[in-house]
Amino acid sequence: MNFTNEMIFQIAMQQSAIDSNCNAEDFTREENIVTISKPNASARKYLKLPHICNLISYGSNIVASVAEEYADIVRSYLSKYPVAHCLETPNMHVLNDAFQKFENRICFMSEYFLPDVQSLHALPCDFELKLLESDDFKDLYTEQWSNALCEDRKELDVLGIGAYHNGKLIGLAGCSADCEAMWQIGVDVLPEYRRKGIASALTSRLAIEILDRDKVPFYCCAWSNIKSAKNAVKSGFRPAWVEMTVKPATFVDEMNK
């Protein structure tokens, strides 16, 4: 399939609509949308649906997918502030304070990237690169490769590219089949081999391999992870949408241990 950027964005918005129990065109509206979150077998596999509250913005507005009992709280919040300010401090403290009364808190704040087919190309690498498949990952579920691979969802890790120095794995980009149409890329490079262009070489080449399999690659990082965001951009990806997710306070406390 010859993907265009418009096709890629449409596929991403359609997946976000599945995840959020709304229509893809809702992400292009001027007004904010509040929907009731529901489980969906076609949602991204790592999502725990239904959401307490998940806000998504592709830039025009915010679509909030929420548990029904919190719909009025979220609707009121979204009506108070401009779109960008709803997703940042200090305004987001208002939403967090409202949810804390119910023992929930804002947890994840993530930025998602999609490939720009006009910019994406295989970047050079000074080290040997190998295409890897799921059978090659069995001994790689360790802390050093925990961004590229996910031990909790091994069955979703379908493709990767490794960088090798004298036979030693020094960098790994892997992708998980998180939903039918889109595969997510993660990448790790050993500390002593960083700043050598390995991450971007692996990411760009894996993105091309994914597109060649008629799937859309996507890349995610925390808003504060500048190194990861720079890698995305260098690799031919561009910012596409953002999400902010509310989780139970017990979940947040567990992550903070």
Side-chain angles (χ1 to χ4, degrees):
M1 183 185 303
N2 293 320
F3 286 100
T4 65
N5 286 341
E6 183 178 357
M7 290 168 60
I8 287 171
F9 263 88
Q10 286 299 318
I11 290 169
M13 285 192 286
Q14 183 59 53
Q15 185 60 50
S16 292
I18 291 169
D19 300 339
S20 300
N21 190 33
C22 68
N23 298 313
E25 56 266 27
D26 288 337
F27 296 102
T28 64
R29 299 187 189 280
E30 293 296 324
E31 70 276 11
N32 296 322
I33 306 290
V34 177
T35 69
I36 303 305
S37 182
K38 294 181 180 179
N40 191 317
S42 297
R44 284 173 286 164
K45 303 300 184 185
Y46 57 87
L47 296 180
K48 305 297 185 183
L49 298 179
H51 286 300
I52 294 170
C53 174
N54 190 60
L55 308 183
I56 296 180
S57 178
Y58 279 79
S60 298
N61 69 343
I62 292 174
V63 173
S65 177
V66 305
E68 190 167 9
E69 60 265 38
Y70 305 122
D72 288 343
I73 290 173
V74 176
R75 194 174 287 111
S76 175
Y77 174 71
L78 295 181
S79 70
K80 288 183 179 180
Y81 309 109
V83 168
H85 295 300
C86 284
L87 297 162
E88 66 176 8
T89 57
N91 297 147
M92 77 176 197
H93 289 303
V94 174
L95 185 64
N96 191 65
D97 290 347
F99 272 107
Q100 283 202 136
K101 296 174 183 177
F102 301 93
E103 299 184 342
N104 301 310
R105 294 178 188 168
I106 292 173
C107 183
F108 298 121
M109 300 171 65
S110 303
E111 184 170 14
Y112 290 82
F113 299 78
L114 292 171
D116 176 356
V117 295
Q118 305 303 319
S119 301
L120 179 66
H121 61 276
L123 294 175
C125 185
D126 292 333
F127 301 92
E128 180 187 8
L129 301 181
K130 293 181 182 178
L131 186 66
L132 305 174
E133 298 189 359
S134 54
D135 288 344
D136 300 311
F137 299 148
K138 59 182 183 297
D139 297 324
L140 300 179
Y141 288 95
T142 62
E143 180 62 29
Q144 62 189 356
W145 310 121
S146 59
N147 289 311
L149 303 173
C150 180
E151 187 169 15
D152 292 338
R153 298 186 297 274
K154 292 180 180 180
E155 70 282 1
L156 300 180
D157 292 331
V158 293
L159 194 66
I161 296 182
Y164 295 82
H165 185 206
N166 296 328
K168 175 186 176 181
L169 183 65
I170 60 172
L172 175 64
C175 66
S176 54
D178 288 336
C179 49
E180 176 60 30
M182 301 178 71
W183 291 359
Q184 181 173 192
I185 293 176
V187 62
D188 290 291
V189 177
L190 295 182
E192 62 269 30
Y193 288 92
R194 292 172 186 168
R195 297 184 180 276
K196 299 179 184 295
I198 297 172
S200 56
L202 293 172
T203 303
S204 62
R205 289 166 187 254
L206 185 54
I208 292 169
E209 291 287 345
I210 294 169
L211 288 169
D212 285 346
R213 288 160 174 76
D214 292 336
K215 305 294 183 182
V216 171
F218 71 105
Y219 186 106
C220 173
C221 67
W223 292 350
S224 57
N225 194 338
I226 301 301
K227 288 194 299 183
S228 189
K230 282 185 174 180
N231 177 58
V233 172
K234 183 178 179 180
S235 301
F237 285 73
R238 300 293 179 263
W241 80 94
V242 295
E243 298 192 22
M244 187 167 76
T245 309
V246 174
K247 290 287 188 180
T250 53
F251 179 91
V252 177
D253 290 342
E254 184 65 26
M255 291 198 70
N256 285 330
K257 284 184 179 180

